[in-house]
Amino acid sequence: MDSLLRYQLNALRAVEAAGRLGSMARAAEELGVTVGAVSQQVLKAEQRLGRPIFSRTPRGLEPTVLGQQLLAGLSRGFGEIAQALTVAEARAEHVLTVTVAPVFASKWLVPRLHRFHEAHPDLQLRIDASVGLVDFTASDVDVGVRVGAGPWPNVRADYLLDQALFPVCSPALAGAVRRVGDLSRIPVIHDYGSPQNWEIWLAAQGHPGLPLGAGPTFSDAALCLDAAIAGQGLMIGWQTLAQDALRDGRLVSPFPTPVPTGLSYWLVGSARERPPAKVRAFGAWLRQELECS
């Protein structure tokens, strides 16, 4: 079906160009093909229609009655296609689609987006909050932020920041936490999706396998953060998750020395082409924000 459609479009383009320019040679020059290729496409179109589209005269091509009707429709159709492509290309230049994890979007990126809009008022930002794999060559996603060991094959991955862990809790609960062993008797919030975070941090403190106090479990780190702010327990946080709540005093960190996870934040995109200006602008802004945070 695709090959048939491509054949029909090629033939119609040849017919439209030949009719508009009045010459097979001029149509071939415009389309970047040989005169024979244009002639063959026109002939195939005439055979498919069962009637001639052009009369061949010493003065050049003259459309038949059928040709006049066909050319009028083709001119409108290809004109509308050209206009649609122009609009799409203009939109593509000023629309930037970014894929980020939902928790990174809600707790770090969104509160800072006003500064991006102020710095780049000509760009319209679209946020795709997901952690799924992205084929940057086949989708409309321009760039993404991912956490992992990186880099990855067939993906451009530019390092942004190492991830590090540290416990956080509400100021009201902080007084009950003096040493690591206290975690066995106070509520501890668990992230169902990242159970290894507590294990990594406890091992770095020399307390691997320490039993933790009973507390709520959530499947989303943003909910864990909200529960910690509400005083429901102590949770493991990291820079982009907890830094705003730490800065404004909604949370404190009783053990402030961060523990690296071995993972990093990466700006990811297509490895097949140089990042366009809008992606480079977003990357530069993102790095500046991370450095200032």
Side-chain angles (χ1 to χ4, degrees), residues 119-170:
H120 303 281
D122 55 322
L123 289 179
Q124 178 184 338
L125 203 60
R126 292 177 53 207
I127 302 299
D128 172 32
S130 72
V131 295
L133 295 176
V134 177
D135 183 349
F136 290 100
T137 62
S139 73
D140 63 348
V141 176
D142 296 298
V143 69
V145 178
R146 290 292 186 261
V147 178
W152 299 274
N154 304 318
V155 174
R156 188 191 71 256
D158 299 322
Y159 168 83
L160 293 172
L161 176 74
D162 289 329
Q163 187 188 55
L165 303 174
F166 45 87
V168 293
C169 63
S170 67

Side-chain angles (χ1 to χ4, degrees), residues 33-96:
V33 298
T34 65
V35 175
V38 173
S39 178
Q40 185 179 37
Q41 292 288 4
V42 172
L43 181 60
K44 286 181 178 179
E46 290 179 324
Q47 290 174 341
R48 185 173 182 83
L49 293 172
R51 287 181 288 171
I53 299 172
F54 299 108
S55 296
R56 281 72 170 171
T57 74
R59 296 185 302 275
L61 298 177
E62 292 185 2
T64 63
V65 173
L66 170 66
Q68 292 174 1
Q69 296 172 343
L70 180 61
L71 289 171
L74 289 178
S75 295
R76 288 194 301 271
F78 282 113
E80 291 177 1
I81 290 173
Q83 183 178 7
L85 289 173
T86 299
V87 171
E89 289 171 356
R91 181 180 183 276
E93 290 176 359
H94 78 266
V95 175
L96 177 64

Side-chain angles (χ1 to χ4, degrees), residues 164-167 201 204-205 236-237 253-260:
L165 303 174
F166 45 87
W201 187 84
Q205 309 307 312
I236 280 287
S253 182
F255 306 100
T257 303
V259 172

